[in-house]
Coordinates of all heavy atoms in Angstrom, one line a residue:
T8 N 28.3 -48.0 -22.6 CA 27.2 -49.0 -22.1 C 27.0 -50.1 -23.1 O 26.8 -51.3 -22.7 CB 25.9 -48.2 -22.0 OG1 26.1 -47.1 -21.1 CG2 24.8 -49.1 -21.4
Q9 N 27.1 -49.8 -24.4 CA 27.0 -50.9 -25.4 C 28.1 -51.9 -25.3 O 28.0 -53.1 -25.4 CB 26.9 -50.3 -26.8 CG 25.6 -49.6 -27.1 CD 25.7 -48.9 -28.5 OE1 26.7 -48.8 -29.1 NE2 24.5 -48.4 -28.9
N10 N 29.3 -51.4 -25.1 CA 30.5 -52.2 -24.9 C 30.4 -53.1 -23.7 O 30.8 -54.3 -23.6 CB 31.8 -51.4 -24.9 CG 32.1 -50.7 -26.2 OD1 31.6 -51.2 -27.2 ND2 32.9 -49.7 -26.2
A11 N 29.8 -52.5 -22.6 CA 29.6 -53.3 -21.4 C 28.6 -54.4 -21.6 O 28.8 -55.5 -21.1 CB 29.2 -52.4 -20.2
R12 N 27.5 -54.1 -22.3 CA 26.5 -55.1 -22.6 C 27.1 -56.3 -23.4 O 26.8 -57.4 -23.2 CB 25.3 -54.5 -23.3 CG 24.2 -55.5 -23.5 CD 22.9 -54.9 -24.0 NE 21.9 -55.9 -24.0 CZ 21.1 -56.3 -23.0 NH1 21.2 -55.7 -21.9 NH2 20.2 -57.2 -23.2
A13 N 27.9 -55.9 -24.4 CA 28.5 -57.0 -25.2 C 29.4 -57.9 -24.4 O 29.4 -59.1 -24.6 CB 29.4 -56.3 -26.3
S14 N 30.1 -57.4 -23.4 CA 30.9 -58.2 -22.6 C 30.0 -59.1 -21.7 O 30.3 -60.3 -21.4 CB 31.8 -57.3 -21.7 OG 32.7 -56.6 -22.5
A15 N 28.9 -58.5 -21.2 CA 28.0 -59.3 -20.3 C 27.3 -60.4 -21.1 O 27.1 -61.5 -20.6 CB 27.0 -58.3 -19.7
E16 N 26.9 -60.1 -22.3 CA 26.3 -61.2 -23.2 C 27.2 -62.3 -23.4 O 26.8 -63.5 -23.4 CB 25.8 -60.5 -24.5 CG 24.6 -59.6 -24.3 CD 24.2 -58.9 -25.6 OE1 25.1 -58.8 -26.5 OE2 23.0 -58.5 -25.7
K17 N 28.5 -62.0 -23.7 CA 29.5 -63.1 -23.9 C 29.6 -63.9 -22.6 O 29.7 -65.2 -22.6 CB 30.8 -62.5 -24.3 CG 31.9 -63.6 -24.6 CD 33.2 -63.0 -25.1 CE 34.1 -64.1 -25.6 NZ 34.3 -65.2 -24.6
F18 N 29.7 -63.3 -21.5 CA 29.8 -64.0 -20.2 C 28.6 -64.9 -20.0 O 28.7 -66.0 -19.5 CB 29.9 -63.0 -19.0 CG 30.1 -63.6 -17.7 CD1 31.4 -63.9 -17.2 CD2 29.0 -64.0 -16.9 CE1 31.6 -64.5 -16.0 CE2 29.2 -64.6 -15.7 CZ 30.5 -64.8 -15.2
A19 N 27.4 -64.3 -20.3 CA 26.2 -65.1 -20.1 C 26.2 -66.4 -21.0 O 25.8 -67.5 -20.6 CB 25.0 -64.3 -20.4
R20 N 26.6 -66.2 -22.2 CA 26.7 -67.4 -23.2 C 27.7 -68.4 -22.6 O 27.4 -69.6 -22.6 CB 27.1 -66.9 -24.6 CG 26.0 -66.1 -25.3 CD 26.3 -66.1 -26.8 NE 27.6 -65.4 -27.0 CZ 27.8 -64.1 -27.2 NH1 26.7 -63.3 -27.1 NH2 29.0 -63.5 -27.4
D21 N 28.8 -67.9 -22.2 CA 29.9 -68.9 -21.7 C 29.4 -69.6 -20.5 O 29.9 -70.7 -20.2 CB 31.2 -68.1 -21.4 CG 31.8 -67.6 -22.7 OD1 31.4 -68.0 -23.8 OD2 32.7 -66.7 -22.6
S22 N 28.6 -69.0 -19.7 CA 28.1 -69.6 -18.4 C 26.7 -70.3 -18.6 O 26.1 -70.7 -17.6 CB 28.0 -68.6 -17.3 OG 27.1 -67.6 -17.6
E23 N 26.3 -70.4 -19.9 CA 25.0 -71.1 -20.2 C 23.9 -70.4 -19.4 O 23.0 -71.1 -18.9 CB 25.1 -72.6 -19.9 CG 26.1 -73.3 -20.8 CD 26.1 -74.8 -20.5 OE1 25.5 -75.2 -19.6 OE2 26.8 -75.5 -21.3
S24 N 23.9 -69.1 -19.4 CA 22.9 -68.3 -18.8 C 22.3 -67.3 -19.8 O 22.8 -67.2 -20.9 CB 23.4 -67.5 -17.5 OG 24.0 -68.4 -16.6
K25 N 21.3 -66.6 -19.3 CA 20.7 -65.6 -20.1 C 20.9 -64.2 -19.4 O 20.8 -64.2 -18.2 CB 19.2 -65.8 -20.4 CG 18.9 -67.0 -21.3 CD 17.4 -67.2 -21.5 CE 17.1 -68.4 -22.4 NZ 15.7 -68.5 -22.6
L26 N 21.1 -63.2 -20.2 CA 21.3 -61.9 -19.6 C 20.0 -61.2 -19.3 O 19.1 -61.2 -20.1 CB 22.1 -61.0 -20.6 CG 22.7 -59.7 -20.0 CD1 23.8 -60.1 -19.0 CD2 23.3 -58.9 -21.1
G27 N 19.9 -60.8 -18.0 CA 18.6 -60.2 -17.6 C 18.7 -58.7 -17.6 O 19.5 -58.1 -18.4
K28 N 18.0 -58.0 -16.8 CA 17.9 -56.6 -16.7 C 19.1 -56.0 -16.0 O 19.8 -56.8 -15.3 CB 16.6 -56.1 -16.0 CG 15.4 -56.5 -16.8 CD 14.1 -56.0 -16.0 CE 12.9 -56.3 -16.8 NZ 11.7 -55.8 -16.0
I29 N 19.3 -54.7 -16.1 CA 20.4 -54.1 -15.4 C 20.0 -53.9 -13.9 O 18.9 -53.5 -13.6 CB 20.7 -52.7 -16.0 CG1 21.2 -52.8 -17.4 CG2 21.6 -51.9 -15.1 CD1 21.5 -51.4 -18.1
R30 N 20.9 -54.4 -13.1 CA 20.7 -54.2 -11.6 C 21.0 -52.8 -11.2 O 20.2 -52.1 -10.5 CB 21.5 -55.2 -10.8 CG 21.3 -55.2 -9.3 CD 22.3 -56.0 -8.6 NE 22.1 -56.1 -7.2 CZ 22.9 -56.6 -6.3 NH1 24.1 -57.0 -6.7 NH2 22.6 -56.6 -5.0
N31 N 22.2 -52.3 -11.6 CA 22.6 -51.0 -11.3 C 23.8 -50.6 -12.2 O 24.4 -51.5 -12.8 CB 22.9 -50.7 -9.8 CG 23.9 -51.7 -9.3 OD1 25.0 -51.9 -9.9 ND2 23.6 -52.3 -8.2
A32 N 24.1 -49.4 -12.3 CA 25.2 -48.9 -13.2 C 25.8 -47.7 -12.6 O 25.1 -46.9 -11.9 CB 24.7 -48.7 -14.6
S33 N 27.1 -47.5 -12.9 CA 27.8 -46.3 -12.4 C 28.7 -45.8 -13.6 O 29.3 -46.5 -14.2 CB 28.6 -46.5 -11.2 OG 29.6 -47.5 -11.4
Q34 N 28.6 -44.5 -13.7 CA 29.5 -43.8 -14.7 C 30.8 -43.4 -14.1 O 30.8 -42.7 -13.1 CB 28.8 -42.6 -15.3 CG 29.6 -41.8 -16.3 CD 29.0 -40.4 -16.6 OE1 27.8 -40.3 -16.9 NE2 29.8 -39.4 -16.5
G35 N 31.9 -43.8 -14.8 CA 33.2 -43.3 -14.3 C 33.5 -41.9 -14.7 O 32.7 -41.2 -15.4
Q36 N 34.6 -41.4 -14.3 CA 35.0 -40.0 -14.5 C 35.6 -39.9 -15.9 O 36.3 -40.7 -16.4 CB 36.0 -39.5 -13.5 CG 36.4 -38.1 -13.6 CD 37.4 -37.7 -12.6 OE1 37.8 -38.4 -11.7 NE2 37.8 -36.4 -12.6
F37 N 35.2 -38.8 -16.6 CA 35.8 -38.6 -17.9 C 37.2 -38.0 -17.7 O 37.4 -37.2 -16.8 CB 34.9 -37.5 -18.7 CG 33.7 -38.1 -19.4 CD1 32.5 -38.3 -18.7 CD2 33.8 -38.4 -20.7 CE1 31.4 -38.8 -19.4 CE2 32.7 -39.0 -21.4 CZ 31.5 -39.2 -20.7
T38 N 38.1 -38.5 -18.6 CA 39.5 -38.0 -18.5 C 39.8 -37.4 -19.9 O 39.5 -38.0 -20.9 CB 40.5 -39.0 -18.1 OG1 40.4 -40.1 -19.0 CG2 40.2 -39.6 -16.7
I39 N 40.5 -36.3 -19.9 CA 41.0 -35.7 -21.2 C 42.5 -35.6 -21.1 O 43.0 -35.0 -20.1 CB 40.4 -34.4 -21.4 CG1 38.9 -34.5 -21.4 CG2 40.9 -33.8 -22.7 CD1 38.2 -33.1 -21.5
S40 N 43.2 -36.2 -22.0 CA 44.7 -36.1 -22.0 C 45.2 -35.9 -23.4 O 44.5 -36.1 -24.4 CB 45.3 -37.4 -21.4 OG 44.9 -38.5 -22.1
D41 N 46.5 -35.5 -23.5 CA 47.1 -35.4 -24.8 C 47.2 -36.8 -25.5 O 47.4 -37.8 -24.8 CB 48.5 -34.9 -24.7 CG 48.6 -33.5 -24.2 OD1 47.5 -32.8 -24.2 OD2 49.7 -33.0 -23.8
R42 N 46.9 -36.9 -26.8 CA 47.1 -38.1 -27.5 C 48.5 -38.7 -27.3 O 48.7 -39.9 -27.1 CB 46.7 -38.0 -29.0 CG 46.7 -39.3 -29.7 CD 46.4 -39.1 -31.2 NE 47.4 -38.4 -31.9 CZ 47.3 -38.1 -33.2 NH1 46.3 -38.5 -33.9 NH2 48.3 -37.4 -33.8
D43 N 49.5 -37.8 -27.5 CA 50.8 -38.2 -27.2 C 51.6 -36.9 -27.0 O 51.1 -35.8 -27.1 CB 51.4 -39.0 -28.4 CG 51.3 -38.3 -29.7 OD1 51.8 -37.2 -29.9 OD2 50.6 -38.9 -30.6
A44 N 52.9 -37.1 -26.7 CA 53.7 -35.9 -26.4 C 54.0 -35.0 -27.6 O 54.3 -33.8 -27.4 CB 55.1 -36.4 -25.8
N45 N 53.9 -35.5 -28.8 CA 54.2 -34.8 -30.0 C 53.0 -34.0 -30.6 O 53.1 -33.1 -31.4 CB 54.8 -35.7 -31.1 CG 56.1 -36.3 -30.6 OD1 56.9 -35.7 -30.0 ND2 56.2 -37.6 -30.9
T46 N 51.8 -34.4 -30.2 CA 50.6 -33.8 -30.7 C 49.6 -33.4 -29.6 O 48.5 -33.9 -29.4 CB 49.8 -34.7 -31.7 OG1 49.5 -36.0 -31.0 CG2 50.7 -35.0 -32.9
P47 N 50.0 -32.4 -28.7 CA 49.2 -32.0 -27.6 C 47.9 -31.3 -28.1 O 47.0 -31.1 -27.2 CB 50.1 -31.0 -26.8 CG 51.0 -30.5 -27.9 CD 51.3 -31.7 -28.8
Y48 N 47.8 -30.9 -29.3 CA 46.6 -30.3 -29.9 C 45.6 -31.3 -30.3 O 44.5 -30.9 -30.7 CB 47.0 -29.4 -31.0 CG 47.9 -30.0 -32.1 CD1 47.3 -30.8 -33.1 CD2 49.3 -29.9 -32.0 CE1 48.1 -31.4 -34.0 CE2 50.1 -30.5 -32.9 CZ 49.5 -31.3 -33.9 OH 50.4 -31.9 -34.8
I49 N 45.9 -32.6 -30.1 CA 44.9 -33.6 -30.3 C 44.7 -34.3 -28.9 O 45.6 -34.8 -28.3 CB 45.3 -34.6 -31.4 CG1 45.5 -34.0 -32.7 CG2 44.3 -35.8 -31.5 CD1 46.0 -34.9 -33.8
K50 N 43.4 -34.3 -28.5 CA 43.1 -34.9 -27.2 C 42.5 -36.2 -27.2 O 41.7 -36.5 -28.2 CB 42.2 -33.9 -26.4 CG 42.8 -32.5 -26.2 CD 44.0 -32.5 -25.4 CE 44.6 -31.1 -25.2 NZ 45.8 -31.1 -24.4
S51 N 42.7 -37.0 -26.2 CA 42.1 -38.3 -26.1 C 41.1 -38.3 -24.9 O 41.5 -38.0 -23.8 CB 43.1 -39.4 -25.8 OG 42.5 -40.7 -25.6
V52 N 39.8 -38.5 -25.2 CA 38.8 -38.4 -24.2 C 38.4 -39.9 -23.8 O 38.2 -40.7 -24.7 CB 37.6 -37.7 -24.6 CG1 36.5 -37.5 -23.5 CG2 38.0 -36.3 -25.1
R53 N 38.3 -40.2 -22.5 CA 38.1 -41.6 -22.1 C 37.1 -41.6 -21.0 O 37.1 -40.8 -20.1 CB 39.4 -42.2 -21.7 CG 39.5 -43.7 -21.4 CD 40.9 -44.1 -21.2 NE 41.1 -45.5 -21.1 CZ 41.0 -46.2 -19.9 NH1 40.8 -45.5 -18.8 NH2 41.2 -47.5 -19.9
V54 N 36.2 -42.7 -21.0 CA 35.3 -42.9 -19.9 C 35.1 -44.4 -19.7 O 35.1 -45.1 -20.7 CB 34.0 -42.1 -20.0 CG1 33.2 -42.7 -21.2 CG2 33.2 -42.2 -18.8
V55 N 35.0 -44.9 -18.5 CA 34.7 -46.3 -18.2 C 33.4 -46.3 -17.4 O 33.3 -45.6 -16.4 CB 35.8 -47.0 -17.5 CG1 35.4 -48.4 -17.1 CG2 37.1 -46.9 -18.3

């Protein structure tokens, strides 16, 4: 959410606008995968 807000603030500055309140938000699905083929005992967790 913090990363999303940082992107929105940059867009607002570039468009000479101000960032208002959140209209709505949705959480993506969490994914868990091997970091790489050689270290399957280390997992990469990701969400958007």
Side-chain angles (χ1 to χ4, degrees):
T8 304
Q9 288 175 350
N10 291 339
R12 184 173 184 84
S14 298
E16 287 174 340
K17 184 178 186 307
F18 183 91
R20 289 195 301 270
D21 293 344
S22 62
E23 298 181 351
S24 302
K25 293 181 180 180
L26 194 64
K28 296 180 179 180
I29 293 178
R30 182 189 186 192
N31 53 51
S33 62
Q34 175 194 310
Q36 183 178 2
F37 278 84
T38 60
I39 303 175
S40 58
D41 297 344
R42 183 180 67 177
D43 55 62
N45 298 318
T46 55
Y48 48 87
I49 298 177
K50 300 298 181 180
S51 176
V52 185
R53 189 174 187 270
V54 67
V55 177

